[in-house]
Each structure stands twice: as C-alpha cells, then as structure tokens.
Amino acid sequence: MATDLRPNVDYGPGEAARAGEILRSIVGSTVHGTNLEGQDDVDQLGIYIPPPEHVFGLAEPRRGGTHVWRTQPEGARSGPGDIDLTIFTLRRFLALATSGNPTIIALFFVPDDALVLRTEEGDRLRALAPAVVSQQAGQRFLGYLHSQLERMDGAGKQNRVPNRPELIARHGWDVKFGSHALRLGLQGIELLTTGRLTLPMQSQAREQVLAVRRGDVTRDRTRFLIDRAALELRELLDDPDLSRRSPLPEHPDMGTVTAYLAAAHRRSWGWT
C-alpha cells in the first residue's frame, strides 16, 4: 500500500499556542459518547493566552492566532485514531462561547477525564460558565441542527460531493449527519431546560443518536426524530416565560467575561 508522504496539517502559531496553552480537552463524538469503536478520529480543542507581542505588535499572528494541527495532510480525511487539534486564543474562544457555539461551550461541561491539559487558569476559565453560557445558545443549537439536516439531505454548497461516500453506499444516506442533527436538538433542549450539558450524553438520548449513527433507524424515522426535537427546541425559544423557566441567563454577562479576559492576560504576562 502506498504511503502518503505529504506533511501533516500544521497551521498558525503553533509554538506560541503550545507555550501559552491553559486548557485542552477531547471534544466531538468521543466526549458526547456517540462515537463508534474503530470508526472515529479524535477531536481536541485547546485554549491559549498569546504573548504580548501577538496582542500589541504590528504583525498579524498567522491564521488570526488559531493553531490547527492534524495527523493527516491537507485534503486528506481523518480516520480512526487520527488527531484533529484546534487551539484558539482565549479571546477567540470566549467570543465564540458567548455567542453560544455548541462545539465551543461543550468545553465547560466535559468530564475531568476528557481533559488532556489542565492548568489553574484553565480551571478559572471553566468556572466562568455561568457568565458565558446563556439562553442565546439555544438558537445556535437550532441553527447547527438545520445545517446538519441540510447536509443529510444532500443540500447546501458543501454537499455537491458526499463527504462520506462509504456511508452513502452502505445506507443510502449519510447517517452521521443525521446523528449530529439529532444530538444537537436533544442537547439544545437539555441545555435550555437544565442549564447544562450531560457529557457523555444521558443513556436514553445517547442510544437514540447511536442507533441513527449505526444505521439502525430509517431515514424517514430519523427525519421525524430530528423534526420533533427541532420543534420542541423552537417552542422553548419562543416561550415568553423562558427567562423564568430556564436556569440560564438571557444573555452572557459581558462585563464579567471582559474583566476575566483582561485579568487572565495580566496573570499570564506577570503584570499583576
């Protein structure tokens, strides 16, 4: 078998990112508990505090300061056991988190055994969750659900060629997109009603998602389950009493988040 000798993906300021890293966790299907043994890569998400010259200097950090590292070369799909690592600056991470990005806010709820790197500053960041995660996240979960549903249906500009043709050949449709859409709906409902995400997912919800992922559920039944979850999430978001019913604040506490962001940079640089 021929070996791909192309270099692996390595973008952005890797040296600075690794030197200033305060937190890294396994994310994706592994931490959700919806991975299938021997079929998934390992997604990791990290956060770092850049050096002062990256913040105050005139030279723009490469890739906006985001470091991406993959075991596979550019253009090659990740396979079982491959690592896909993204390390965001603390500022970028909090910008995405306060907007309710589902992938990003999961880092506030991952179990300790999913943490690859943990520091005191990383613990401070995770403790900031009540000021960061808000009801606004529900809308983002719903938006991501619809995006995955479009891709399941082969719609959208990214689906002219199937990303996973082997799933199309085996099941007639991309069951992974369907499982992602269903997971997002169920997690969005949980987040709005309980104020947190259970990771790995609770057993009943996890088994529903895994059944879709394995191809045990028909496409029509999957679409029904996704539509039902999307409707429940939409009804929660439209509920005029949501602010009273949900443990989450209506909006992030941007004052607290900004104060933390400034203090974390001062601590990292020894300016306290």
Side-chain angles (χ1 to χ4, degrees):
M1 180 182 293
T3 301
D4 194 333
L5 299 179
R6 292 175 296 167
N8 65 287
V9 169
D10 189 353
Y11 295 147
E15 185 176 345
R18 292 176 187 274
E21 199 170 8
I22 62 171
L23 188 67
R24 187 192 299 184
S25 177
I26 296 171
V27 290
S29 59
T30 304
V31 80
H32 294 300
T34 57
N35 57 312
L36 297 180
E37 187 174 355
Q39 295 188 29
D40 290 280
D41 58 4
V42 178
D43 295 319
Q44 294 185 6
L45 175 64
I47 303 103
Y48 79 104
I49 298 176
E53 57 268 26
H54 282 201
V55 176
F56 300 111
L58 295 179
E60 180 75 18
R62 290 171 294 158
R63 300 268 170 171
T66 298
H67 173 51
V68 177
W69 187 93
R70 297 177 56 226
T71 50
Q72 288 291 336
E74 182 68 34
R77 285 177 56 190
S78 295
D82 283 324
I83 294 176
D84 287 1
L85 167 65
T86 302
I87 308 179
F88 289 115
T89 65
L90 178 60
R91 185 175 187 272
R92 177 61 176 161
F93 171 82
L94 285 171
L96 292 168
T98 52
S99 76
N101 182 296
T103 302
I104 298 300
I105 66 171
L107 206 59
F108 290 109
F109 303 104
V110 296
D112 289 349
D113 61 8
L115 298 178
V116 177
L117 182 149
R118 182 178 184 179
T119 68
E120 185 176 350
E121 193 62 64
D123 286 345
R124 290 193 189 100
L125 172 61
R126 295 230 295 160
L128 196 67
V132 175
V133 183
S134 74
Q135 294 169 27
Q136 291 181 182
Q139 189 62 55
R140 296 300 299 275
F141 272 80
L142 188 60
Y144 274 54
L145 178 156
H146 286 305
S147 176
Q148 293 295 311
L149 186 58
E150 283 185 356
R151 298 177 76 179
M152 183 187 99
D153 289 340
K157 61 184 179 181
Q158 298 183 49
N159 286 276
R160 292 170 185 160
V161 177
N163 287 349
R164 293 178 282 264
E166 72 281 1
L167 295 182
I168 305 294
R170 187 181 310 149
H171 304 291
W173 60 290
D174 194 320
V175 294
K176 195 168 185 179
F177 284 139
S179 69
H180 286 332
L182 180 58
R183 172 183 58 78
L184 286 159
L186 296 175
Q187 288 184 324
I189 294 165
E190 181 190 20
L191 183 66
L192 285 183
T193 55
T194 70
R196 60 170 295 105
L197 294 176
T198 304
L199 296 174
M201 296 179 73
Q202 294 179 3
S203 57
Q204 182 177 356
R206 184 170 71 246
E207 182 50 42
Q208 283 188 352
V209 174
L210 280 170
V212 172
R213 178 90 194 269
R214 291 190 300 260
D216 297 342
V217 183
T218 66
R219 184 172 183 167
D220 287 346
R221 175 64 179 172
T222 298
R223 182 63 185 254
F224 169 80
L225 293 172
I226 295 169
D227 288 345
R228 184 173 66 181
L231 177 61
E232 184 175 350
L233 183 52
R234 178 76 269 167
E235 289 176 343
L236 280 170
L237 289 167
D238 291 341
D239 186 347
D241 291 329
L242 178 61
S243 295
R244 178 179 56 82
R245 294 176 57 194
S246 176
L248 294 175
E250 189 172 355
H251 303 287
D253 182 347
M254 299 304 288
T256 296
V257 173
T258 299
Y260 166 77
L261 189 57
H265 281 80
R266 289 196 300 267
R267 283 191 290 266
S268 177
W269 299 338
W271 291 5
T272 54

